[in-house]
Amino acid sequence: MAFYTDISLVYDDLFPVSPEQRALFVSLMDDGGVRSVVDCGCGTGSQLQPFAVAGLSCFGFDPDPSLVAIARRKLAAYPKTRVETGSFADLPRLAPLPSDLLMCLGNSLVHVPKDEASRFLGDAAAALSRSGTLLLQILNYERLLREGVTDLPLIRASEGAIEFRRHYEWEGNRKVLFRTSLRLSGEDGPRMVRNEIPLYPVYPEELWEMMASAGFGNVRFFGDFARSEFTPGSEALVCLARKA
């Protein structure tokens, strides 16, 4: 996972936890009776941190060791929190105890082919407690495909010292080559880091069917973490579902 190793040190600058995400996390804790959380593809652990601060039992895993190392340092002060290196396929082994909330955020689901994503959703349902909640977020690939989007919005951070450009090269409707260019300003001048990784789009109707087949009910789609209505023009697809 050299792709994420290369951006690990600036990951939180590029992808900070938004106020809308925090508000949703608080709502899930207040209204959903959440006592334990699993974050699949936890990155640097920033999205687990609000739950750890609240004293919940937290577990996260990520396939990239560099991101896991950062998450462990960030969450070291919370004794009920654990972070391991692992992939989606490792979920049954890594998280043997049922959790009340399972998260898969940051467009992580599309990093594996559709059949692996389907197996993961089945494992996710099995890893949840009775009536447990799944919170999942990907991009709205139906819109990206329909509009022929090849470049995602430029991300600037640290007062312009960090620039992250993202390009999609479509290989049919089932695979995208995700190419990135990271520009880091420094005392010795700018440094460029280029990378690429394959992604495997999942479309809204497919995701709905996959969720139902995996054992989820009360599936709700939103256009963002503020739980705005999901429409064909939504940039993101945020899904909340209950284990049936």
Side-chain angles (χ1 to χ4, degrees):
M1 296 292 289
F3 181 92
Y4 289 102
T5 300
D6 286 341
I7 67 171
S8 60
L9 294 180
V10 295
Y11 191 90
D12 286 337
D13 298 294
L14 294 170
F15 306 108
V17 178
S18 68
E20 292 79 11
Q21 281 180 303
R22 291 185 184 277
L24 178 55
F25 296 161
V26 170
S27 174
L28 290 170
M29 284 188 279
D30 289 347
D31 303 333
V34 174
R35 300 173 303 277
S36 57
V37 182
V38 173
D39 190 357
C40 308
C42 67
T44 61
S46 291
Q47 288 155 324
L48 266 182
Q49 195 166 24
F51 299 99
V53 170
L56 275 63
S57 175
C58 298
F59 171 66
F61 66 90
D62 196 279
D64 186 84
S66 299
L67 293 174
V68 168
I70 294 171
R72 284 175 173 169
R73 290 195 297 270
K74 182 181 297 182
L75 300 170
Y78 307 101
K80 296 169 67 176
T81 298
R82 178 170 62 97
V83 182
E84 301 289 347
T85 302
S87 66
F88 284 155
D90 296 317
L91 175 60
R93 174 180 62 84
L94 292 174
L97 298 177
S99 63
D100 301 315
L101 172 65
L102 189 143
M103 304 191 297
C104 180
L105 308 176
N107 207 41
S108 296
L109 185 69
V110 300
H111 285 67
V112 297
K114 183 183 174 182
D115 59 341
E116 293 183 40
S118 294
R119 284 196 295 272
F120 164 71
L121 291 174
D123 291 338
L128 282 168
S129 58
R130 185 175 181 180
S131 299
T133 299
L134 172 68
L135 172 61
L136 185 148
Q137 176 255 322
I138 61 174
L139 297 181
N140 179 9
Y141 281 94
E142 188 171 77
R143 181 188 74 85
L144 297 178
L145 179 66
R146 181 181 67 249
E147 298 181 5
V149 173
T150 56
D151 290 290
L152 302 182
L154 171 68
I155 299 178
R156 284 193 175 96
S158 297
E159 298 181 343
I162 302 170
E163 290 188 352
F164 191 50
R165 299 180 186 276
R166 301 168 294 167
H167 177 76
Y168 270 9
E169 183 175 312
W170 292 83
E171 299 181 358
N173 65 349
R174 287 294 165 196
K175 186 177 179 182
V176 174
L177 192 60
F178 184 34
R179 290 181 168 156
T180 64
S181 175
L182 178 65
R183 182 181 184 274
L184 303 169
S185 298
E187 294 180 359
D188 299 327
R191 180 168 68 94
M192 298 293 295
V193 179
R194 292 183 172 86
N195 237 313
E196 63 181 42
I197 191 172
L199 300 178
Y200 305 91
V202 174
Y203 300 97
E205 186 174 338
E206 291 179 331
L207 181 60
W208 191 285
E209 293 173 354
M210 290 162 64
M211 298 285 289
S213 296
F216 288 99
N218 192 23
V219 179
R220 293 168 289 165
F221 284 177
F222 302 99
D224 52 37
F225 285 104
R227 288 184 272 191
S228 301
E229 179 185 1
F230 179 76
T231 70
S234 296
E235 293 186 3
L237 192 166
V238 176
C239 174
L240 274 170
R242 292 273 188 180
K243 180 175 178 176

